[in-house]
Amino acid sequence: MPKGTGKVLAQNKKANHDYFIEETYEAGIVLQGTEIKAIRAGRVNLKDAFARIQAGELYVHNMHVSPYEQGNRYNHDPLRTRKLLLHKSEISKLIGLTKEDGYALVPLKIYLKNGFAKVLVGLGKGKKKYDKREDLKKKEAKRDIERAFRDRQKD
């Protein structure tokens, strides 16, 4: 199964608006207790999440996993920092790439693949305001063209 495929549970749509995604990496995630049950229920939010390399390991910060309803005292902290699992060579490559100015590691989506929760992490270069406006214009123009084509097909 290619990376990024599987049952998508959450997506960070804002990431494509704020960054040019240059490369993507598929990473496993270290979870505690009832977190996997909450993730499978789709109770995860990647909106403000970001990834950072600390002491040679990759961690995701601000990924909100809501507490599981039936978890009682075994529940977890919703915003806890979670470790991502990547090969050592990929992490060392990312260390070099993120040292450059303007680059960041952004979680793009979380999905299930062969029963395991995976996170698609993108290496993104920050967009300027005019880049964002240009993308919106292109998106709007494409939508107008499709709408006109669809209307023409109806007639």
Side-chain angles (χ1 to χ4, degrees):
M1 197 182 276
K3 72 178 176 185
T5 58
K7 182 183 177 201
V8 177
L9 302 169
Q11 267 187 309
N12 189 352
K13 293 179 182 173
K14 196 174 180 212
N16 285 322
H17 182 262
D18 292 340
Y19 298 96
F20 293 113
I21 305 299
E22 295 183 0
E23 286 185 62
T24 58
Y25 298 91
E26 183 179 72
I29 185 166
V30 177
L31 299 171
Q32 284 182 347
T34 58
E35 285 180 323
I36 188 63
K37 292 184 177 195
I39 288 174
R40 285 183 186 192
R43 301 182 51 83
V44 60
N45 188 351
L46 292 172
K47 189 174 182 183
D48 297 324
F50 62 96
R52 186 177 283 161
I53 298 173
Q54 298 168 338
E57 295 179 336
L58 186 63
Y59 292 92
V60 65
H61 300 268
N62 285 354
M63 183 174 88
H64 189 278
V65 178
S66 298
Y68 186 60
E69 288 88 21
Q70 287 84 30
N72 58 41
R73 68 176 187 201
Y74 298 107
N75 270 325
H76 53 277
D77 177 27
L79 287 175
R80 121 185 137 78
T81 302
R82 294 167 182 89
K83 186 177 176 181
L84 296 180
L85 305 172
L86 276 178
H87 290 284
K88 194 78 169 175
S89 60
E90 290 176 322
I91 292 175
S92 59
K93 182 179 176 185
L94 285 174
I95 288 172
L97 291 172
T98 54
K99 292 270 189 240
E100 293 180 39
D101 213 25
Y103 281 93
L105 292 172
V106 186
L108 300 174
K109 63 181 170 179
I110 187 164
Y111 54 95
L112 291 177
K113 182 175 177 182
N114 299 332
F116 294 102
K118 302 283 184 179
V119 178
L120 191 67
V121 179
L123 177 70
K125 185 165 177 62
K127 286 185 183 179
K128 304 281 189 245
K129 210 171 208 174
Y130 57 85
D131 289 328
K132 294 177 188 178
R133 284 194 210 113
E134 200 171 295
D135 281 352
L136 285 173
K137 285 179 190 173
K138 286 180 184 175
K139 193 174 179 182
E140 206 169 295
K142 185 179 177 186
R143 193 177 302 134
D144 290 340
I145 290 169
E146 287 177 1
R147 188 178 302 124
F149 185 70
R150 201 171 38 243
D151 291 343
R152 194 173 184 107
Q153 291 289 326
K154 287 181 183 177
D155 294 336

